Amino acid sequence: MIVDHEHSGQHGYISDKDRYLARLKRIEGQARGIHRMVDEEQYCIDILTQISALTSALQGVALGLLDDHLKHCVVDAVNTGGEAGDAKIAEASQAIARLVRS
Amino acid sequence: MIVDHEHSGQHGYISDKDRYLARLKRIEGQARGIHRMVDEEQYCIDILTQISALTSALQGVALGLLDDHLKHCVVDAVNTGGEAGDAKIAEASQAIARLVRS
Amino acid sequence: MIVDHEHSGQHGYISDKDRYLARLKRIEGQARGIHRMVDEEQYCIDILTQISALTSALQGVALGLLDDHLKHCVVDAVNTGGEAGDAKIAEASQAIARLVRS
Amino acid sequence: MIVDHEHSGQHGYISDKDRYLARLKRIEGQARGIHRMVDEEQYCIDILTQISALTSALQGVALGLLDDHLKHCVVDAVNTGGEAGDAKIAEASQAIARLVRS
């Protein structure tokens, strides 16, 4: 049996990959739309509104991925026991800090 | 003389449009990169790091555009006098609130 | 006539000082409450909920003060003309950046 | 034996309680200082700077408490197994979302 690692992924923790991909396609479209708005010199406040919407959409994806990560990678590492769990939690806490501060 | 309104823009408040367009091109590339990372199921924490970087880049663009907006549109409206200035400031305050809360 | 500068204030830009003072009294009470929750080792998630509420309350005060600042100090400086207005706007933009990033 | 639940705490997950209490005392002092600055009508931008500093200090406490919570309560619940771990992670994810969005 041939396993296609390239496309099957190394982690497999993502609970609903198609939904994330669809959300990220919309996010790409939002980024392209903001570029076009600046190029067309649309009204600044309208551009800022779109940037706020894009930031919120990104936060939603980040919070979903983080929840998946805690539910799968962190739980697996805790079940493995010992330092593996501690290391995964320290890593998750640092990622949370970056999200809160960005 | 023919003025190309489509491309010359209706607002013209943006201090360095080429620089914004270059930053937004990079932001589009970052969004595309995050889509690819999820598609390839790369490590969740690495994806979160890229989302934090993209959020910071968007904030930088938003803060730059807001500064341009205050310097040009708001100042012009204040100089016009009366309610025009008040309305522009109320609108700017609402945009700032959306940025702070997003 | 004796002017009580200590209490009349040097700026006088605040649109409804009593309301701000009441909000800040509540914020002080919230901070004290969080200290007590940690001292009593109450449930961590409940403490985090209170910290989020306090952060939102502080943002509300900051956004209100910023709006007052734009409406009064910045408008006055713009009306004075020249570099005074530019300097006030640069200063306001820096304060906005600190709020967005904190 | 009499256990003083009121003061011994029900959770005991906090890694360095005295340090948190000292940080929260400083945060209370910062809140009181902002109240005084508004009462004395100090310069708005200086008040905003203090609010940004207080918000950052609160975020630091929240991130520390969350890290302690993941390391202790969540790990314990995962080790208990079954739905206990899932429930704790769902609860932690909601708290993280409130922090990111506040």
Side-chain angles (χ1 to χ4, degrees):
Chain A
M1 187 189 135
I2 295 160
V3 176
D4 179 1
H5 276 297
E6 183 73 25
H7 293 94
S8 67
Q10 306 91 318
H11 296 282
Y13 58 86
I14 298 177
S15 60
D16 190 346
K17 187 171 154 179
D18 288 346
R19 202 162 150 256
Y20 281 114
L21 290 177
R23 290 164 81 178
L24 286 164
K25 268 287 161 215
R26 274 198 299 278
I27 283 170
E28 271 184 70
Q30 285 175 283
R32 210 157 30 238
I34 293 166
H35 184 279
R36 194 186 56 244
M37 290 177 90
V38 171
D39 194 29
E40 295 175 357
E41 296 184 27
Q42 289 188 28
Y43 187 47
C44 177
I45 296 292
D46 296 336
I47 303 175
L48 292 178
T49 301
Q50 293 308 312
I51 293 179
S52 293
L54 176 45
T55 303
S56 292
L58 277 169
Q59 280 182 350
V61 168
L63 292 168
L65 288 172
L66 183 67
D67 184 54
D68 280 341
H69 180 70
L70 293 174
K71 277 197 274 206
H72 299 109
C73 303
V74 172
V75 166
D76 289 351
V78 169
N79 285 332
T80 301
E83 291 178 13
D86 296 348
K88 282 287 173 203
I89 285 175
E91 187 188 56
S93 286
Q94 285 161 18
I96 294 164
R98 281 191 296 269
L99 286 178
V100 168
R101 293 194 163 123
S102 74
Chain B
M1 185 187 136
I2 294 159
V3 177
D4 179 0
H5 276 296
E6 183 73 23
H7 293 94
S8 69
Q10 305 92 316
H11 295 283
Y13 58 87
I14 298 178
S15 60
D16 189 347
K17 187 172 155 179
D18 288 343
R19 202 164 149 254
Y20 281 114
L21 291 176
R23 289 164 82 179
L24 285 164
K25 269 287 162 216
R26 274 198 299 278
I27 282 170
E28 272 183 71
Q30 285 175 282
R32 208 156 32 237
I34 292 166
H35 184 279
R36 192 186 59 243
M37 289 177 91
V38 169
D39 194 28
E40 296 175 358
E41 297 183 30
Q42 289 188 27
Y43 187 47
C44 177
I45 296 292
D46 295 337
I47 303 174
L48 293 177
T49 301
Q50 292 308 312
I51 293 179
S52 293
L54 176 44
T55 303
S56 292
L58 278 168
Q59 280 181 351
V61 169
L63 292 168
L65 289 171
L66 183 67
D67 184 54
D68 280 341
H69 180 70
L70 293 174
K71 276 197 275 206
H72 299 110
C73 303
V74 172
V75 166
D76 288 352
V78 169
N79 285 333
T80 301
E83 290 177 16
D86 296 348
K88 283 287 173 202
I89 284 175
E91 187 187 54
S93 287
Q94 285 160 18
I96 295 164
R98 282 191 297 270
L99 285 179
V100 168
R101 293 196 163 123
S102 72
Chain C
M1 186 189 134
I2 294 161
V3 176
D4 179 0
H5 276 295
E6 182 73 24
H7 293 94
S8 68
Q10 305 92 316
H11 296 283
Y13 58 86
I14 297 178
S15 60
D16 189 347
K17 186 172 157 179
D18 288 344
R19 200 163 151 256
Y20 281 113
L21 290 177
R23 289 164 82 179
L24 286 164
K25 268 287 162 217
R26 274 198 300 278
I27 282 170
E28 272 184 71
Q30 286 174 282
R32 208 155 34 235
I34 292 166
H35 184 279
R36 193 186 59 245
M37 289 176 90
V38 170
D39 195 27
E40 295 175 358
E41 295 183 28
Q42 289 189 28
Y43 187 48
C44 177
I45 297 291
D46 295 336
I47 303 175
L48 292 178
T49 301
Q50 292 308 311
I51 292 179
S52 293
L54 176 44
T55 303
S56 291
L58 277 168
Q59 280 181 351
V61 169
L63 292 168
L65 289 172
L66 184 67
D67 184 54
D68 280 341
H69 180 69
L70 293 174
K71 276 196 274 206
H72 299 109
C73 302
V74 172
V75 167
D76 288 352
V78 169
N79 285 332
T80 301
E83 290 177 15
D86 296 348
K88 282 289 173 201
I89 285 175
E91 186 188 55
S93 287
Q94 285 161 18
I96 293 164
R98 281 191 296 270
L99 285 179
V100 168
R101 295 197 162 121
S102 73
Chain D
M1 186 190 133
I2 295 160
V3 176
D4 179 1
H5 277 295
E6 184 73 26
H7 293 94
S8 68
Q10 305 93 315
H11 297 282
Y13 58 85
I14 298 178
S15 60
D16 190 347
K17 188 171 155 177
D18 287 346
R19 203 164 149 254
Y20 281 113
L21 290 177
R23 289 164 82 179
L24 286 163
K25 268 287 160 217
R26 274 198 298 278
I27 282 170
E28 273 184 71
Q30 285 175 284
R32 207 156 35 236
I34 293 166
H35 185 279
R36 193 186 58 244
M37 288 176 91
V38 170
D39 195 28
E40 296 175 356
E41 297 184 28
Q42 289 188 29
Y43 187 48
C44 177
I45 295 292
D46 295 337
I47 303 175
L48 292 177
T49 300
Q50 292 309 311
I51 293 179
S52 293
L54 176 44
T55 303
S56 291
L58 277 168
Q59 280 182 350
V61 169
L63 292 168
L65 288 172
L66 183 66
D67 184 54
D68 280 341
H69 180 70
L70 293 174
K71 277 197 274 205
H72 299 109
C73 302
V74 172
V75 167
D76 289 352
V78 169
N79 286 332
T80 301
E83 291 177 14
D86 296 348
K88 282 287 172 201
I89 285 174
E91 187 187 56
S93 286
Q94 285 161 18
I96 294 164
R98 281 191 296 270
L99 285 178
V100 168
R101 293 196 163 122
S102 72

